[in-house]
Amino acid sequence: MLDSFIKNINILQITFLSFVLRFLGLIFYKNQNLPDTYTYERIGQEIFSGSVIQTPLHMPGYGIWMHLLNFVTQNSYGVIFGDILISCLTVYVIYLLSIEIFKSEMIAKIAALIFAIYPFSIFYSFNAVSETLFIFLLYSSILMLYRKKLLYGYILIILSIYVKPTADIFAPFLILCFCFLIYKYSKKETLRELCIFYLLYSLLLSPWWVHNWNKYDGFVRLNLAGGYHLYSGNNPENLSGGGIGGIDVNHGWTDQDIEKRGIEFEQKFKRDAFNFIKENPKIFVKLSVIKFKRFWQMYPYAEEYKGISYKILSIFSYGLVLIFSILFLISNLKKFFLRISPLITIVFLTTAIHCITIASVRYRFPIEPILIIFASYYIFERFKLLKN
């Protein structure tokens, strides 16, 4: 019966199902208005009014996206409808990406269907935060890289950096994986591709660099979140692995400090964090283990999402996807290692970043499409085995 259902359903139907579920979620689930939503709204207003962006911790991409969509629709629901459509398009991107990796439409349909009904993807699609746009740009970039349309891939991943700077860390490693392990380029050819990427990188990010120079009177490549989050996760007050001000950390900087001495404060956070790690290596290791558990745990850490219904929903969605993806890696890593090496690189580096800085299931969500793709192969193989 399941086999017949997967064979008969097509990707347009799956995409339409994803739209219906997200629209129903918007209607029946109370919008959370997460704190970042107001920050991005302010970023958009500041950019289009010609002002300097005040927040030192965010990139401008999602703020621009939000402002443009809200301006077109003349209400605050513009960005929500835009995010819902982008989330539905991501279903299609995951479908195409799965075909590129496993050369199987059945596996691709399973992956697309899981993401379409996946509670976390539905939740983020109508809460006006940057994850939905970031995931769409990131996985569209990876799709282009698998299709050997490298220039398009470079542009898309740079645009994703404008939304969330995490991709800035693993972008060169992605390029190396594709060039060396998948396309078997020579060192000279790989170096050429890296040069092309960083030329585009410099051209596309230069307006942001000019903005930051005018704001901080110095060169800031992305933002000041690096030292801020490093200190958040590595200071005497942090016991939980999170980064909530007043509980896990007390940064002690004001808006005036950011405006006048932002770079100096960011460097101070880095020094203080490194000194804490150097003087407390055992505590650092212990905190890293806590962050690892918090990053990968089956249900959200935040108190408002610790209810039994949230736990059940999370365990039977993300929990099963995690288990199946691990089983896939155990049984198929050798077979597919080269083909999936870029995806494994993203998972590994994202985990490492948040084990060193601060951890949250929200930071994990951008790598969950990878887990879904892996899990879909395992589900397909097990179902085929059971059928036989």
Side-chain angles (χ1 to χ4, degrees):
M1 184 177 177
L2 181 61
D3 181 54
S4 176
F5 172 75
I6 296 295
K7 281 182 178 178
N8 291 328
I9 195 171
N10 61 50
I11 186 58
L12 291 178
Q13 291 169 325
I14 295 172
T15 305
F16 180 72
L17 173 64
S18 72
F19 175 78
V20 171
L21 292 175
R22 282 150 181 76
F23 193 73
L24 290 175
L26 174 62
I27 294 172
F28 292 107
Y29 188 85
K30 183 181 178 183
N31 188 282
Q32 295 298 300
N33 289 322
L34 300 174
D36 276 358
T37 301
Y38 302 110
T39 302
Y40 289 122
E41 185 177 16
R42 190 172 67 248
I43 288 172
Q45 292 169 351
E46 289 167 344
I47 289 174
F48 285 94
S49 66
S51 304
V52 169
I53 298 172
Q54 292 305 305
T55 172
L57 306 178
H58 297 75
M59 296 296 286
Y62 190 74
I64 295 171
W65 167 258
M66 175 184 283
H67 188 85
L68 289 174
L69 290 176
N70 288 347
F71 176 78
V72 169
T73 59
Q74 292 297 302
N75 62 63
S76 61
Y77 278 91
V79 69
I80 294 174
F81 290 126
D83 281 354
I84 287 175
L85 291 175
I86 284 291
S87 183
C88 295
L89 286 174
T90 305
V91 172
Y92 187 61
V93 169
I94 289 173
Y95 168 81
L96 295 176
L97 184 55
S98 300
I99 290 177
E100 288 294 326
I101 296 169
F102 297 124
K103 311 302 180 184
S104 167
E105 189 178 15
M106 288 288 284
I107 295 171
K109 286 181 182 179
I110 294 171
L113 185 59
I114 292 174
F115 191 79
I117 65 174
Y118 195 57
F120 289 98
S121 69
I122 296 171
F123 173 82
Y124 285 114
S125 71
F126 57 79
N127 273 291
V129 286
S130 60
E131 274 70 15
T132 298
L133 180 60
F134 175 70
I135 286 174
F136 172 74
L137 292 170
L138 175 62
Y139 287 93
S140 296
S141 166
I142 295 169
L143 175 63
M144 291 297 104
L145 293 175
Y146 269 108
R147 289 182 167 182
K148 212 172 182 179
K149 296 179 179 179
L150 302 183
L151 191 63
Y152 294 128
Y154 299 160
I155 293 171
L156 285 165
I157 203 166
I158 293 166
L159 292 177
S160 80
I161 293 169
Y162 258 115
V163 178
K164 290 180 78 71
T166 314
D168 182 76
I169 295 173
F170 54 69
F173 294 97
L174 268 185
I175 296 169
L176 290 173
C177 282
F178 276 102
C179 290
F180 271 133
L181 301 180
I182 294 181
Y183 297 126
K184 308 296 184 182
Y185 282 179
S186 66
K187 291 180 181 178
K188 184 177 180 180
E189 290 171 319
T190 301
L191 181 61
R192 181 196 65 198
E193 292 302 324
L194 284 171
C195 289
I196 292 171
F197 170 74
Y198 279 110
L199 176 62
L200 283 171
Y201 181 93
S202 300
L203 289 173
L204 292 178
L205 280 173
S206 57
W208 181 238
W209 295 344
V210 172
H211 167 276
N212 286 342
W213 186 278
N214 292 331
K215 178 179 179 180
Y216 299 113
D217 197 24
F219 180 74
V220 174
R221 188 164 54 88
L222 298 173
N223 53 32
L224 302 185
Y228 183 92
H229 286 141
L230 184 65
Y231 181 73
S232 298
N234 299 280
N235 71 86
E237 294 182 27
N238 196 315
L239 302 176
S240 73
I244 300 173
I247 298 175
D248 300 310
V249 62
N250 181 15
H251 291 98
W253 67 354
T254 65
D255 290 342
Q256 188 175 14
D257 293 326
I258 297 166
E259 184 179 350
K260 301 297 183 184
R261 297 188 295 157
I263 296 175
E264 181 184 331
F265 264 76
E266 203 255 356
Q267 291 172 345
K268 179 181 182 300
F269 287 144
K270 286 182 179 178
R271 287 195 303 270
D272 290 346
F274 286 131
N275 288 336
F276 175 83
I277 294 169
K278 184 178 177 181
E279 294 168 7
N280 304 279
K282 291 182 179 179
I283 295 176
F284 170 70
V285 172
K286 182 180 177 181
L287 273 173
S288 296
V289 172
I290 291 171
K291 293 169 192 173
F292 180 86
K293 291 178 179 177
R294 180 167 175 166
F295 187 78
W296 287 105
Q297 71 177 26
M298 293 285 191
Y299 51 85
Y301 184 89
E303 287 296 330
E304 59 267 35
Y305 300 113
K306 279 190 175 181
I308 188 66
S309 59
Y310 286 112
K311 287 183 178 180
I312 291 172
L313 191 64
S314 183
I315 290 169
F316 279 93
S317 56
Y318 159 70
L320 289 177
V321 164
L322 176 63
I323 292 169
F324 291 152
S325 63
I326 292 172
L327 291 172
F328 161 79
L329 289 172
I330 291 171
S331 56
N332 294 282
L333 181 60
K334 186 176 180 180
K335 179 180 179 181
F336 289 108
F337 177 73
L338 293 180
R339 195 66 183 162
I340 64 174
S341 57
L343 305 183
I344 293 175
T345 299
I346 293 174
V347 173
F348 176 79
L349 289 176
T350 303
T351 303
I353 291 165
H354 292 291
C355 285
I356 294 171
T357 55
I358 56 177
S360 164
V361 295
R362 181 179 169 188
Y363 301 140
R364 185 191 67 216
F365 178 58
I367 62 175
E368 288 175 25
I370 296 173
L371 306 183
I372 288 172
I373 292 170
F374 291 170
S376 299
Y377 183 92
Y378 182 81
I379 291 168
F380 175 73
E381 287 293 303
R382 293 307 97 185
F383 178 75
K384 189 168 67 173
L385 183 63
L386 288 171
K387 187 181 175 184
N388 291 338

